[in-house]
């Protein structure tokens, strides 16, 4: 493995949920320890299952892994860290500042930014205080801080009181309140991350065009702030040996190889390893020791009882057409698809829009995803369908100028400089995009509006807490007594808005979707349905490896159906990519002929 050649002291694994970060980090820690090194494995992933992987209880204390000499582990609980962090900041001002201000601070501290900063706060000492890690040769981190987090840490602290006085705009800067005392330690930590002799960042991806594009953006974002010592691991590549007599497996293999051939140019310069897709769950030492092996090892732990050539019957579950039937009843409304990157939101949004338009309803399909290529996905104009793409960069610049011209007009030079710094925070983009979305939302009273990539629950709550949109709508009303509906009010109304959470039938994506659902509920938005995308269990396969993975999916699909979703649909993994209006309709119309694997 190239990423294990002459490894430095700190190894960070980063990537989207479900790509295999935790498994690869654990396998790396085992391999280093069994080579004679003393290794500490640290997880800051809120979806971490390091303890389950090793079959031991791991918490916020260093625990030795008895089965592997030289290996210890530590799990930082990001939620607990975030709560302690909030208590430390809000506690001293509760009862001192007006309740409205305290609530505003609490809301600023409620989102993902706070969780990231709090987790970074927890492991900063591991990067900077050598006395804490003197017993270890290597520290392996499952989940690196994002470029977003590091940019936040690099912002100056002088705006803290500035925001509390109401001069700043809604942003995610709140999580940094009260951090001035730790700034020297944070700077040392960021310096350690940027030092290639001490730190190596391993970007983990899958062999999918959309996922590789996202990883390319992560690479550029981290390199731009000095973290240039990066390696790439493409995980879960289907072995060519699995393609015999299985048209679906052959199609997947061909698709993955095409994606790897078109890998973004910025990633081509990185040292790269490819790991074969495994059939088994990566739990236990035997499985983890095989993860970094060759493609020939992929079949080692397949259950002999499941090697017969006859395929199990495809999963019986509601399909996407069932959801479309229910959506279509109202004749109009807002449909938002939400979920983490790489789960297929853009494709499913396009499929829903195409099917609704094909039924004769006017539809506006809108996306703010910079990686979304709707023109390629749709391939042709369709009657009743309007398509728009919101440019996040253009909207952010427009929003910055708007705020500077209004709020910044009466500020002195220092105040304006602080406001400009506030507007450079990473969450400004999400707020700016929501402004653009709010313009599109108004159309949902007369047509269907399908939105790909919606703002998070935290952003919605933050905007609502500031009252920014209520005030803006009120200002725009000609009559002070005129009734108006804000975007937030519309999103909270189940008669007007249906939120669909998109996930994959894998542990981490399901957990992340459940966390997103909790975030939305806190904002008063109840998700309408879940969509489990690209399911092998919903197909017919011959490949022994894919059949075993299909069985592994059943537990996650059951969790969605029985614990998380009020209604759900399962979309099968297809032999042909759903590009073009005809194929998109087959995803959401049960009367259309299915995209059969043997049609390749």
């Amino acid at each position: 493995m190239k990423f294990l050649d002459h490894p430095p002291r700190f190894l960070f694994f980063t990537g989207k949920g479900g790509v295999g970060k935790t498994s690869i980090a654990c396998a790396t820690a085992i391999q280093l320890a069994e080579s004679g090194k003393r290794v500490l494995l640290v997880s800051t992933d809120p979806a971490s299952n390091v303890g389950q992987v090793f079959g031991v209880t791991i918490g916020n204390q260093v625990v030795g892994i008895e089965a592997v000499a030289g290996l210890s582990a530590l799990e930082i609980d990001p939620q607990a860290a975030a709560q302690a962090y909030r208590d430390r900041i809000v506690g001293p001002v509760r009862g001192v500042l007006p309740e409205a201000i305290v609530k505003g601070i609490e809301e600023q501290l409620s989102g993902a930014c706070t969780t990231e900063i709090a987790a970074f706060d927890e492991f900063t000492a591991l990067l900077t205080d050598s006395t804490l890690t003197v017993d270890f040769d290597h520290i392996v981190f499952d989940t690196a801080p994002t470029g977003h987090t590091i940019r936040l840490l690099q912002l100056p602290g002088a705006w803290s009181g500035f925001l509390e006085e109401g001069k700043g705009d809604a942003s995610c800067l709140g999580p940094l309140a009260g951090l001035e005392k730790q700034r020297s330690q944070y700077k040392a930590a960021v310096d350690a991350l940027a030092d290639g002799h001490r730190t190596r960042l391993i970007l983990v991806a899958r062999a999918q065009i959309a996922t590789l594009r996202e990883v390319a953006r992560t690479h550029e974002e981290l390199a731009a702030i000095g973290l240039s010592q990066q390696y790439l691991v493409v995980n879960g590549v289907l072995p060519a040996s699995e393609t015999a007599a299985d048209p679906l497996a052959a199609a997947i293999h061909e698709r993955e190889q095409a994606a790897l051939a078109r890998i973004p140019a910025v990633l081509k310069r990185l040292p790269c390893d490819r790991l074969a897709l495994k059939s088994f769950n990566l739990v236990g030492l035997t499985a983890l020791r095989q993860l970094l092996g060759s493609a020939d090892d992929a079949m080692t732990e397949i259950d002999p009882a499941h090697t017969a050539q006859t395929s199990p019957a495809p999963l019986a579950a509601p399909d996407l057409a069932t959801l479309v039937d229910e959506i279509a009843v109202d004749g109009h409304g807002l449909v938002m698809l939400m979920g983490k990157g790489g789960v297929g939101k853009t494709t499913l949004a396009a499929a829903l829009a195409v099917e609704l338009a094909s039924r004769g309803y006017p539809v506006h399909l809108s996306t703010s995803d910079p990686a979304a290529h709707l023109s390629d996905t749709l391939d042709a104009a369709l009657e009743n369908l309007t398509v728009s793409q919101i440019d996040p960069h253009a909207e952010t610049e427009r929003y910055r100028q708007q705020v500077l011209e209004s709020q910044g007009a009466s500020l002195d030079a220092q105040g304006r400089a602080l406001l400009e710094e506030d507007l450079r925070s990473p969450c400004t983009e999400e707020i700016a995009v929501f402004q653009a979305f709010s313009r599109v939302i108004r159309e949902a009273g007369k047509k269907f509006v399908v939105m790909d990539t919606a703002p998070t629950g935290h952003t919605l709550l933050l905007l609502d807490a500031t009252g920014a949109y209520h005030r803006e709508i009120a200002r725009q009303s000609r009559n002070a007594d005129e009734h108006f509906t804000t975007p937030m009010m519309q999103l909270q109304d189940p008669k007007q808005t249906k939120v669909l959470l998109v996930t994959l039938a894998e542990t981490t994506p399901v957990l992340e979707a459940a966390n997103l659902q909790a975030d939305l509920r806190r904002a008063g938005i109840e998700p309408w349905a879940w969509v489990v995308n690209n399911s092998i269990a919903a197909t017919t396969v011959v490949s022994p490896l894919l059949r075993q993975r299909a069985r592994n999916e059943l537990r996650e699909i059951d969790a969605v159906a029985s614990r998380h979703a009020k209604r759900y649909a399962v979309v099968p993994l297809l032999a042909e990519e759903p590009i073009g209006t005809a194929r998109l309709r087959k995803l959401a119309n049960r009367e259309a002929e299915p995209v059969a694997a043997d049609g390749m």
Side-chain angles (χ1 to χ4, degrees):
M1 291 292 144
K2 295 175 184 176
F3 74 88
L4 281 174
D5 288 345
H6 307 292
R9 188 146 196 262
F10 301 118
L11 293 165
F12 281 89
F13 291 86
T14 188
K16 294 296 181 182
V19 295
K21 295 187 303 293
T22 297
S23 299
I24 296 173
C26 290
T28 297
I30 291 170
Q31 186 159 317
L32 289 171
E34 292 184 339
S35 71
K37 302 295 184 181
R38 298 166 300 168
V39 181
L40 176 62
L41 173 63
V42 181
S43 177
T44 60
D45 186 350
S48 173
N49 58 348
V50 169
Q52 292 178 340
V53 166
F54 287 108
V56 299
T57 300
I58 301 171
N60 200 24
Q61 299 291 329
V62 175
V63 174
I65 305 299
E66 292 185 6
V68 182
L71 177 59
S72 298
L74 167 67
E75 277 186 336
I76 295 172
D77 182 345
Q79 300 304 326
Q83 185 57 51
Y85 189 81
R86 285 191 288 269
D87 292 343
R88 191 166 69 242
I89 294 172
V90 178
V93 300
R94 196 181 300 279
V96 177
L97 294 177
E99 186 63 23
I101 292 180
V102 173
K103 285 185 178 180
I105 295 172
E106 286 178 330
E107 188 48 56
Q108 286 187 329
L109 296 172
S110 67
C113 299
T114 297
T115 304
E116 288 183 13
I117 293 291
F120 189 82
D121 192 38
E122 288 281 313
F123 71 64
T124 291
L126 299 174
L127 291 169
T128 59
D129 188 347
S130 59
T131 63
L132 296 177
T133 57
V134 67
D135 294 332
F136 301 102
D137 301 306
H138 298 286
I139 319 295
V140 177
F141 290 91
D142 168 28
T143 302
T146 64
H148 171 178
T149 304
I150 294 168
R151 287 202 310 279
L152 282 174
L153 292 168
Q154 291 174 330
L155 291 172
W159 44 257
S160 183
F162 179 74
L163 288 180
E164 289 178 10
E165 293 171 12
K167 295 178 181 177
D169 202 58
S171 75
C172 60
L173 291 176
L176 292 182
L179 291 189
E180 287 81 356
K181 293 180 180 178
Q182 291 110 308
R183 286 195 175 275
S184 60
Q185 183 173 329
Y186 284 179
K187 183 180 184 305
V190 173
D191 289 345
L193 287 170
D195 184 350
H197 296 292
R198 288 187 284 171
T199 299
R200 181 171 297 171
L201 281 162
I202 299 98
L203 307 173
V204 184
R206 301 296 290 265
Q208 301 162 350
I209 291 175
T211 306
L212 289 168
R213 283 178 182 151
E214 269 194 51
V215 169
R217 289 201 301 273
T218 300
H219 160 68
E220 292 179 313
E221 183 181 51
L222 292 170
I225 50 180
L227 281 65
S228 55
Q229 187 71 2
Q230 299 181 29
Y231 285 63
L232 175 65
V233 174
V234 182
N235 189 31
V237 180
L238 184 67
S241 58
E242 288 296 305
T243 61
D246 191 328
L248 179 58
I252 294 169
H253 178 73
E254 181 179 342
R255 191 184 308 169
E256 289 182 343
Q257 295 305 309
L260 293 171
R262 295 166 56 190
I263 194 168
V266 294
L267 298 181
K268 289 182 179 179
R269 298 190 289 268
L270 300 182
C272 179
D273 294 297
R274 297 181 185 180
L275 298 180
L277 182 69
K278 311 299 184 189
S279 65
F280 47 86
N281 287 324
L282 289 159
V283 176
L285 293 175
T286 302
L288 288 169
R289 286 182 176 121
Q290 293 178 65
L291 176 57
L292 302 183
S294 66
D296 295 335
D297 297 328
M299 303 295 295
T300 305
E301 287 200 358
I302 288 184
D303 187 341
H306 298 318
T307 56
Q309 290 302 306
T310 56
S311 259
L315 176 74
D319 57 14
L320 193 60
T322 302
L323 298 186
V324 176
D325 289 343
E326 289 192 62
I327 292 170
V329 169
D330 293 332
H332 65 87
L334 174 63
V335 182
M336 298 202 307
L337 285 91
M338 302 180 71
K340 296 293 184 180
V343 296
K345 294 188 301 295
T346 299
T347 296
L348 292 178
L352 286 169
V354 165
E355 176 58 21
L356 288 169
S358 298
R359 296 186 184 192
Y361 299 103
V363 181
H364 183 169
L365 171 62
S366 181
T367 183
S368 66
D369 184 354
H373 294 271
L374 286 176
S375 58
D376 295 339
T377 302
L378 292 168
D379 85 351
L382 185 66
E383 189 178 357
N384 301 320
L385 179 62
T386 302
V387 179
S388 66
Q389 188 151 3
I390 296 169
D391 182 340
H393 297 294
E395 295 298 335
T396 302
E397 184 55 34
R398 180 188 303 173
Y399 177 72
R400 285 183 180 131
Q401 292 304 316
Q402 171 190 327
V403 173
L404 287 170
E405 290 171 7
S406 57
Q407 297 186 27
S410 60
L411 296 176
D412 58 20
Q414 181 184 9
R416 190 176 176 87
L418 286 169
L419 180 58
E420 288 178 344
E421 189 65 66
D422 181 3
L423 292 171
R424 283 196 290 272
S425 75
C427 288
T428 297
E429 180 178 294
E430 193 169 15
I431 294 169
V433 167
F434 183 66
Q435 273 203 337
F437 270 145
S438 70
R439 295 191 289 270
V440 177
I441 283 173
R442 299 189 188 108
E443 300 178 20
K446 298 180 179 179
K447 63 173 67 174
F448 280 109
V449 175
V450 180
M451 287 171 41
D452 165 37
T453 309
T456 66
H458 168 65
T459 298
L460 297 172
L461 262 176
L462 185 56
L463 289 168
D464 198 46
T466 63
Y469 285 96
H470 289 268
R471 291 194 298 271
E472 182 64 26
I473 296 295
R475 278 197 297 268
Q476 292 175 4
S477 298
R478 296 179 181 177
N479 185 333
D481 297 324
E482 181 183 344
H483 174 74
F484 60 85
T485 300
T486 68
M488 186 67 170
M489 292 162 62
Q490 184 171 345
L491 298 182
Q492 292 171 329
D493 185 350
K495 294 181 180 179
Q496 299 186 64
T497 300
K498 290 180 172 63
V499 174
L500 278 63
L501 298 183
V502 183
T503 187
L504 303 176
E506 298 172 13
T507 304
T508 301
V510 169
L511 182 56
E512 288 182 336
N515 290 337
L516 175 56
Q517 177 164 266
D519 198 20
L520 289 168
R521 284 174 172 167
R522 195 166 53 84
I525 299 170
E526 182 61 33
W528 183 75
W530 284 47
V531 181
V532 180
N533 195 25
N534 290 335
S535 170
I536 302 172
T539 67
T540 300
V541 287
V542 175
S543 157
L545 187 154
L546 293 184
R547 287 211 312 277
Q548 185 117 337
R549 288 189 66 85
R551 290 181 173 87
N552 294 343
E553 288 184 356
L554 295 178
R555 183 182 66 178
E556 302 305 327
I557 294 173
D558 180 67
V560 170
S562 61
R563 295 206 304 272
H564 299 307
K566 293 183 177 179
R567 59 176 63 77
Y568 75 104
V570 178
V571 177
L573 177 64
L574 302 177
E576 296 179 303
E577 285 196 82
I579 294 175
T581 54
R583 291 183 186 174
L584 286 168
R585 282 205 71 192
K586 291 174 184 176
L587 283 176
N589 186 329
R590 68 176 63 87
E591 294 180 3
E593 288 192 15
V595 184
D598 57 8
M600 290 297 292

